[in-house]
Amino acid sequence: MKGLNDKQLEACCYTDGPLLILAGAGSGKTRVITHRIAYLIDEKGVNPYNILAITFTNKAANEMRERVDNLVGFGSESIWVSTFHSMCVRILRKHIDKIGGTRDFTIYDTDEQKVVMKEVIKHLNLDPKLYPERAMLAVVSKAKEDYMSPDDYEKAHAASFRDQQIAGIYREYQKRLKSNNALDFDDLIYQTIFLFETNPDALAEYQERFKYIMVDEYQDTNHSQFVLVKQLAAKYRNLCVVGDDDQSIYKFRGANIYNILNFEDTYPDAKVVKLEQNYRSTSNILNAANGVISNNEGRKDKTLWTANDEGEKVTFTRYNNEYDEAEKVALKIRSLNRQGVSFDDIAILYRTNNQSRVFEEKLIYENIPYKLYGGTNFYSRKEIRDMVSYLKLLVNPSDDTAVKRIINVPKRGIGDTTINKINDFAIDNGINFYDAVIDIDEVPGMSRAADKIKRFASLIEELKSMLDEEGVFLSEVYDALLEKTGYLDELVSEGTDEAKARIENIEELKNKIVKYEEETEYPNLTELLEDISLVADVDEGDEDSEKVTLMTLHSAKGLEFPYVFIGGLEEGLFPSQMSMDSDDPDAVEEERRLCYVGITRAKEKLYLSAAAQRMIRGTTCYSDISRFIKEIPDDYIEKNGNISEGNSVFKDNPYSIGFNQSVVKKPISNIGFGRPKTNQMDYGKNNPYAKKSYGANPSANPGFGKAFPMGNNVSSEYSVGDKVRHIKFGTGIVTSVVPAGSDREITVDFERVGEKRMFASLVKMKKL
């Protein structure tokens, strides 16, 4: 017990009866759990066989197992250190036959679940557009988390025809899982609860085995996990739960904060120990966090403190826009690195995944290496690669890779067999893939698929023709692309959290397009794609090299960094507009908990920032500073930039986000991607921004056409021996220029990264 503080020691030594350990951020909760296990064995004489420790992730379970083994030594292998799911698998492998299953059951992953759900929807003759498989799986998952059977679900939603249909889907889905001798992940907990409910002997066996139970991250448990733990602990009641209600941020995954808030109602004789000493952060950072979280009403009262130094004040800066914000953050990171701070010690956190795009681009321009934690580079995300492939096809029909990627996206019933036949025809006749698509009547064996191919070709040709129309903006073409392909509608109908994140990314790509139009004298699609290619093809680099970490605030939980930047602290973004509009009183409080989690990731210095204006769905919006900034006491924060009140368009409501019509260049529909409404801004000659449009006259619009242009494009005028500077690779010497179809392939030997090969139409270099 050496090295434990008084409260940690108290938590370790209380072993009989229910115990709630409220472990604040950075207070050493894992240390307490492992030492408590050692105390039970060494001081109380508890058999390791009778101890169960549950956590949420395999990583956390492995770390706890390693610590327990090192601390306890001989006998530690008898302790169950497990996730909820792996514990349930072990129980069901032994007892599932008691509820009509077989012990050799298969556990289905997400892809296998989708296959089954697709079969169910087809079998029930339901429209997959009205009942998307992903959305249906999400509903079934939620029902199982709430421990609701198909019959329970049907009774609870008796007034809704759609929900009655969903109950039928749920019932048929379970029937097929059973016939396949399979369980999905939610079934593991659901069926274990059902086993214990219907087989008292099985429950008694595990109650007798697990006389001492510890549950980590209790604030993240859902209803079914709560029920399972309550069942196991019912006999001996030696249940210790560890968590922090102030870090409950996973409601969207089913977490129920009331499991921890109401623990003393469930167990009236429970002892509560608060771990409030933080070993991670400076006192200024902790006081800022306390100032924010104290505004939540639904929480246990506690205040973090530290014996660490006071440290620097938290810095908040309000920048002009998100590009200014990202650029200044990148420059500050560069400055810190020059002062000796490792890139590994720096993290940039943000509320939504799509915010990463601007930060990524600015870091690339500053040659700052970075990694996305738990995510994918913005331009590598599936939906972005799909959209970019469509755009590439509009200007370069010779790009076979782009055509093949999107010919059946969204699904048009064009299968691999059809694509292979078209490809073979193209190769045999010495033409590119898209030419074969245009001449589909000439391709053998296409009788059944020909009409589908023709509709696809007609769609592409219609979009290409828009590029020839005078006064049409690239953002309009992008709107039309999303509307006419049905790509956006498919994501909207899916309705899952993953689909919503993809929609946000698609909206962010539109922001990129509109920003490019605003900053370019003669915008054209070729140049836009070139600009994208500069930041899309980022080498991963050496895995062992130092890198700045980029991640969402949700992903940051459990991590810590000496230097932390949190961007986008604006009303409507953080807290989110959805939480502000919600009828759920806990919605904004969960956003505040998320802010608290972000603040407490920082050890030495915390930088907070906001943008006075930000592009949302292609529209420039003005917003007020986040309420969370205003909740930090002035003694602990230094504010810079334009931080005066009244900058929001809607002055009467400081928590609204709006937009200034006078600066909006491109009108959008309610969801951001529709065709312009007739009563909105004119795109023709009367538009003051009409000079930004581009028509069919190539002399007035350099670089525009249906294929990557050569002509007078200066990017193609490179010769062997030229010294050049590339925006990403730095300086180098041109060593080769060779024809490549209608383009040229340039080889450059760069001083910093070595030899690179690039197409002239997509490269952005300056001669020196």
Side-chain angles (χ1 to χ4, degrees):
M1 293 300 170
K2 268 187 179 179
L4 297 181
N5 64 40
D6 291 345
K7 287 296 181 181
Q8 290 174 333
L9 188 61
E10 182 183 356
C12 287
C13 296
Y14 187 87
T15 58
D16 298 321
L19 171 65
L20 169 61
I21 302 176
L22 290 172
S27 62
K29 67 180 178 62
T30 305
R31 180 182 177 88
V32 170
I33 295 172
T34 53
H35 279 72
R36 189 173 188 273
I37 291 172
Y39 181 83
L40 284 168
I41 296 169
D42 292 343
E43 299 295 329
K44 303 292 287 186
V46 175
N47 189 329
Y49 180 84
N50 295 130
I51 298 174
L52 168 66
I54 308 174
T55 188
F56 271 79
T57 65
N58 289 322
K59 180 182 177 184
N62 292 336
E63 289 176 356
M64 188 178 294
R65 162 60 67 188
E66 185 177 347
R67 289 201 197 187
V68 168
D69 289 346
N70 292 336
L71 202 59
V72 174
F74 180 75
S76 67
E77 68 278 0
S78 298
I79 303 168
W80 268 28
V81 180
S82 172
T83 65
F84 275 100
H85 291 101
S86 58
M87 176 186 71
C88 291
V89 169
R90 291 178 70 175
I91 294 171
L92 291 173
R93 288 290 181 204
K94 185 176 180 181
H95 294 290
I96 197 171
D97 56 305
K98 292 181 173 66
I99 53 174
T102 61
R103 297 179 184 181
D104 59 346
F105 62 83
T106 300
I107 302 172
Y108 273 2
D109 61 21
T110 304
D111 289 337
E112 290 164 326
Q113 288 179 261
K114 288 178 190 173
V115 170
V116 174
M117 184 58 76
K118 186 176 181 180
E119 291 173 351
V120 167
I121 292 168
K122 184 177 181 180
H123 172 75
L124 296 177
N125 293 317
L126 296 172
D127 186 346
K129 292 182 179 179
L130 297 177
Y131 299 91
E133 60 198 49
R134 288 176 184 266
M136 295 303 100
L137 285 171
V139 173
V140 169
S141 176
K142 182 66 171 64
K144 291 180 183 179
E145 285 177 359
D146 292 336
Y147 195 56
M148 297 179 71
S149 68
D151 289 344
D152 294 334
Y153 188 91
E154 188 173 47
K155 291 174 185 175
H157 299 86
S160 167
F161 172 77
R162 176 177 171 80
D163 285 329
Q164 292 295 296
Q165 296 286 79
I166 292 174
I169 291 172
Y170 181 11
R171 187 175 289 107
E172 181 65 23
Y173 173 76
Q174 289 303 111
K175 178 181 175 183
R176 288 176 181 255
L177 285 184
K178 188 169 184 178
S179 68
N180 294 349
N181 192 27
L183 302 178
D184 62 24
F185 276 95
D186 295 305
D187 277 327
L188 297 175
I189 297 176
Y190 183 100
Q191 296 296 347
T192 303
I193 295 173
F194 183 70
L195 167 71
F196 289 159
E197 274 191 349
T198 55
N199 292 268
D201 290 344
L203 176 59
E205 176 185 336
Y206 288 97
Q207 286 178 338
E208 197 62 38
R209 163 136 199 200
F210 302 132
K211 295 179 180 179
Y212 293 87
I213 300 172
M214 275 159 278
V215 184
D216 193 14
E217 303 287 6
Y218 192 67
Q219 77 281 349
D220 294 335
T221 53
N222 59 34
H223 178 69
S224 62
Q225 290 162 342
F226 165 80
V227 171
L228 179 60
V229 169
K230 189 177 179 183
Q231 286 178 320
L232 288 170
K235 182 173 182 180
Y236 289 98
R237 302 179 77 255
N238 295 324
L239 172 63
C240 169
V241 300
V242 186
D244 183 5
D245 52 300
D246 289 336
Q247 296 187 74
S248 179
I249 59 173
Y250 295 125
K251 187 173 184 177
F252 67 97
R253 293 182 188 168
N256 185 353
I257 190 174
Y258 294 102
N259 290 347
I260 192 167
L261 291 180
N262 296 339
F263 186 80
E264 294 154 277
D265 294 334
T266 307
Y267 302 96
D269 57 335
K271 180 178 179 62
V272 179
V273 178
K274 299 178 183 179
L275 305 183
E276 297 173 293
Q277 183 176 358
N278 176 285
Y279 292 92
R280 175 189 301 155
S281 307
T282 65
S283 62
N284 272 327
I285 291 172
L286 286 186
N287 287 328
N290 289 330
V292 172
I293 201 63
S294 64
N295 288 274
N296 270 5
E297 294 181 5
R299 66 184 293 263
K300 300 281 190 181
D301 182 44
K302 56 187 173 298
T303 302
L304 291 184
W305 63 276
T306 184
N308 295 339
D309 293 337
E310 182 180 84
E312 293 184 55
K313 285 187 175 183
V314 174
T315 300
F316 170 71
T317 308
R318 192 186 196 199
Y319 297 100
N320 292 328
N321 54 50
E322 70 268 39
Y323 297 92
D324 188 28
E325 176 188 39
E327 181 180 9
K328 296 302 191 301
V329 166
L331 290 172
K332 183 61 182 177
I333 290 172
R334 172 63 68 196
S335 174
L336 288 170
N337 183 247
R338 286 173 179 157
Q339 295 169 36
V341 177
S342 167
F343 287 136
D344 285 339
D345 290 337
I346 302 172
I348 302 175
L349 312 180
Y350 35 80
R351 176 63 182 84
T352 59
N353 260 309
N354 60 304
Q355 285 175 259
S356 77
R357 197 264 302 176
V358 181
F359 284 115
E360 287 184 65
E361 292 185 2
K362 296 302 181 183
L363 290 174
I364 289 170
Y365 293 152
E366 289 298 321
N367 287 318
I368 296 174
Y370 71 90
K371 60 183 176 185
L372 271 95
Y373 182 93
T376 308
N377 175 291
F378 181 81
Y379 289 105
S380 297
R381 295 168 191 169
K382 179 186 181 301
E383 58 278 9
I384 301 303
R385 290 172 67 89
D386 290 343
M387 291 300 103
V388 170
S389 291
Y390 268 110
L391 295 174
K392 283 181 177 179
L393 178 54
L394 299 187
V395 291
N396 184 15
S398 300
D399 190 337
D400 288 1
T401 303
V403 189
K404 291 174 186 175
R405 179 181 180 88
I406 48 85
I407 193 170
N408 196 41
V409 177
K411 291 181 181 178
R412 302 182 174 92
I414 302 172
D416 291 341
T417 302
T418 299
I419 292 172
N420 290 336
K421 287 180 180 179
I422 298 172
N423 194 52
D424 291 342
F425 178 82
I427 293 171
D428 292 343
N429 290 273
I431 59 177
N432 61 55
F433 188 89
Y434 187 71
D435 286 339
V437 167
I438 295 296
D439 296 332
I440 194 64
D441 287 334
E442 304 298 320
V443 180
M446 287 291 112
S447 56
R448 294 179 62 186
D451 287 343
K452 298 171 184 175
I453 300 293
K454 287 177 181 177
R455 284 195 292 272
F456 168 73
S458 175
L459 167 65
I460 298 302
E461 291 302 308
E462 182 181 357
L463 292 170
K464 285 167 67 178
S465 68
M466 286 187 68
L467 294 173
D468 290 327
E469 296 177 20
E470 188 170 355
V472 174
F473 289 93
L474 279 176
S475 49
E476 285 188 276
V477 177
Y478 185 68
D479 288 347
L481 164 60
L482 286 162
E483 179 186 350
K484 294 179 183 300
T485 60
Y487 197 101
L488 184 67
D489 289 341
E490 187 173 270
L491 289 175
V492 170
S493 65
E494 186 177 309
T496 62
D497 290 328
E498 181 184 353
K500 291 173 185 174
R502 289 184 172 181
I503 291 171
E504 289 176 351
N505 289 333
I506 288 171
E507 291 172 346
E508 184 60 31
L509 183 57
K510 177 167 182 177
N511 293 343
K512 166 75 175 179
I513 294 170
V514 173
K515 185 68 175 176
Y516 164 76
E517 288 177 326
E518 290 179 348
E519 295 180 343
T520 308
E521 187 68 22
Y522 297 108
N524 64 83
L525 189 48
T526 299
E527 188 178 62
L528 171 65
L529 291 169
E530 173 191 324
D531 190 49
I532 288 173
S533 73
L534 291 175
V535 291
D537 184 25
V538 181
D539 294 332
E540 289 296 324
D542 184 359
E543 281 298 316
D544 297 327
S545 65
E546 297 177 3
K547 294 183 178 70
V548 174
T549 300
L550 272 67
M551 68 176 82
T552 63
L553 286 151
H554 281 100
S555 298
K557 186 171 177 291
L559 303 176
E560 58 184 44
F561 301 88
Y563 297 84
V564 171
F565 294 80
I566 305 179
L569 278 149
E570 303 137 35
E571 289 290 299
L573 181 57
F574 192 29
S576 70
Q577 190 68 43
M578 185 179 297
S579 70
M580 290 157 56
D581 294 340
S582 174
D583 294 331
D584 181 359
D586 185 56
V588 171
E589 295 213 344
E590 175 142 338
E591 293 283 296
R592 187 174 283 109
R593 294 193 291 268
L594 187 58
C595 183
Y596 173 83
V597 166
I599 291 173
T600 53
R601 297 313 94 194
K603 297 169 69 175
E604 298 177 27
K605 177 65 179 178
L606 175 64
Y607 299 90
L608 307 175
S609 59
Q613 61 184 51
R614 183 179 295 271
M615 194 169 288
I616 300 174
R617 302 189 185 103
T619 299
T620 299
C621 301
Y622 286 87
S623 59
D624 196 8
I625 296 168
S626 170
R627 66 190 74 187
F628 304 147
I629 295 297
K630 301 169 187 177
E631 292 168 356
I632 298 175
D634 290 340
D635 290 345
Y636 313 118
I637 188 169
E638 175 186 319
K639 298 180 181 179
N640 305 301
N642 183 0
I643 59 172
S644 60
E645 299 286 347
N647 288 308
S648 173
V649 170
F650 299 106
K651 295 182 181 179
D652 293 335
N653 181 359
Y655 299 137
S656 293
I657 184 167
F659 59 89
N660 185 335
Q661 293 281 6
S662 65
V663 297
V664 176
K665 289 174 53 181
K666 313 294 183 296
I668 57 174
S669 70
N670 290 335
I671 56 171
F673 294 110
R675 297 290 290 161
K677 297 178 181 178
T678 55
N679 63 342
Q680 290 182 304
M681 189 177 290
D682 177 19
Y683 278 97
K685 296 179 181 179
N686 295 326
N687 183 352
Y689 299 100
K691 68 174 184 176
K692 296 285 187 178
S693 65
Y694 46 89
N697 184 349
S699 61
N701 305 283
F704 177 78
K706 287 193 174 68
F708 289 118
M710 297 299 290
N712 295 322
N713 189 343
V714 354
S715 66
S716 65
E717 296 177 353
Y718 297 105
S719 303
V720 173
D722 284 348
K723 188 173 183 180
V724 296
R725 181 187 299 278
H726 188 279
I727 193 169
K728 183 171 74 170
F729 303 132
T731 57
I733 302 293
V734 177
T735 59
S736 171
V737 180
V738 297
S742 61
D743 209 335
R744 295 182 193 175
E745 183 183 82
I746 303 172
T747 303
V748 181
D749 186 11
F750 291 100
E751 295 174 2
R752 184 166 55 84
V753 296
E755 190 174 89
K756 294 285 184 181
R757 294 180 180 178
M758 299 161 285
F759 285 108
S761 60
L762 288 177
V763 71
K764 197 168 189 177
M765 297 188 298
K766 289 183 179 180
K767 292 184 185 179
L768 300 179

